[in-house]
């Protein structure tokens, strides 16, 4: 935390260095699918030598989940194509508003990310690069957001405070459940 002098915040141990939530899933064909683009996306990709990105899935449009989107332009240059971006309609609207410059006609080679916005929602199965992906409804406080299940055995659930009854069956019998929960007290 900025301004904190506790043992964790001043630690030199890299395990105590907080990056905002995101996950990169690699398909059998080598394609990389990213869930959320946090502000530290560039740092994480450099540290982990990520050279390919093929699609982005968004859970919600809070700053800690979308403010790395500008760095997608590097992958546009490499692929020569727009980046497919999947999210709920309200998240896509926020991206259009926050990143208005992306969608405005400017000079060729304007140094901005090229994205192709695609709507998705809970229960709308996606098939990307041989991966079966199922968006699931969870809640971040009162805000409905998405979690993602990759195939039958892995799910990624971030910023969750409530898992609705219809989502629970999709989280059973997994090999791996990545769960990032918010505090116990009510979250507004």
């Amino acid at each position: 935390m900025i301004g904190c002098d506790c043992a964790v915040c001043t630690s030199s141990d890299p395990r105590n260095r907080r990056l905002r939530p995101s996950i990169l899933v690699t398909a059998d064909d080598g394609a990389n699918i990213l869930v959320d683009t946090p502000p530290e996306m560039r740092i994480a990709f450099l540290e982990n030598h990520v050279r390919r990105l093929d699609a982005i899935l968004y859970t919600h449009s809070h700053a800690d989940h979308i403010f790395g989107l500008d760095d997608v332009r590097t992958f546009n240059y490499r692929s020569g194509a727009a980046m497919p971006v999947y999210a709920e309609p309200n998240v896509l609207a926020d991206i259009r508003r926050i990143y208005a410059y992306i969608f405005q006609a400017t000079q060729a080679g304007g140094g901005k990310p090229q994205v192709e916005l695609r709507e998705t929602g809970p229960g709308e199965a996606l098939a990307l690069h041989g991966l079966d992906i199922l968006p699931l409804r969870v809640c971040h406080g009162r805000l409905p957001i998405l979690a993602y299940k990759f195939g039958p055995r892995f799910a990624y659930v971030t910023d969750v405070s409530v898992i609705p009854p219809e989502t629970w069956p999709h989280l059973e019998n997994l090999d791996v459940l990545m769960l990032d929960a918010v505090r116990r007290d009510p979250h507004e």
Side-chain angles (χ1 to χ4, degrees):
M1 177 182 282
I2 295 171
C4 180
D5 295 322
C6 79
V8 173
C9 290
T10 58
S11 170
S12 61
D13 186 334
R15 293 173 296 181
N16 289 329
R17 204 172 100 226
R18 178 182 184 259
L19 301 179
R20 267 66 73 94
S22 180
I23 187 171
L24 187 71
V25 176
T26 303
D28 288 340
D29 70 358
N32 285 326
I33 298 167
L34 180 66
V35 179
D36 294 332
T37 57
E40 298 89 359
M41 181 182 105
R42 180 179 175 279
I43 294 166
F45 276 28
L46 286 170
E47 287 179 358
N48 293 284
H49 310 287
V50 176
R51 301 183 54 79
R52 178 177 175 177
L53 184 60
D54 299 278
I56 300 169
L57 309 172
Y58 280 106
T59 59
H60 61 295
S61 58
H62 285 168
D64 58 333
H65 294 265
I66 69 166
F67 275 14
L69 181 61
D70 190 69
D71 286 314
V72 166
R73 60 191 166 155
T74 299
F75 300 102
N76 297 137
Y77 298 148
R78 287 197 174 143
S79 71
M83 182 66 60
V85 172
Y86 297 84
E88 292 187 275
N90 63 309
V91 174
L92 296 177
D94 286 343
I95 289 170
R96 286 185 213 282
R97 179 181 52 80
I98 294 165
Y99 289 97
Y101 72 94
I102 291 175
F103 305 100
Q104 295 171 354
T106 57
Q107 75 279 5
K112 59 185 181 180
Q114 302 297 310
V115 296
E116 183 180 301
L117 302 181
R118 300 177 181 182
E119 288 187 13
T120 194
E124 296 176 14
L126 303 168
L128 300 176
H129 297 275
L131 287 174
D132 293 325
I133 303 167
L134 183 63
L136 302 170
R137 173 63 69 220
V138 296
C139 293
H140 177 13
R142 292 187 202 144
L143 179 67
I145 68 171
L146 292 179
Y148 291 96
K149 184 176 181 182
F150 294 85
R153 311 300 276 168
F154 171 71
Y156 177 74
V157 185
T158 190
D159 288 4
V160 67
S161 55
V162 174
I163 299 174
E166 66 272 16
T167 298
W168 279 110
H170 299 288
L171 300 177
E172 295 175 355
N173 301 313
L174 299 172
D175 289 335
V176 176
L177 172 61
M178 292 186 72
L179 183 67
D180 175 38
V182 294
R183 60 185 153 263
R184 289 183 180 193
D185 295 331
H187 179 66
E188 299 300 320

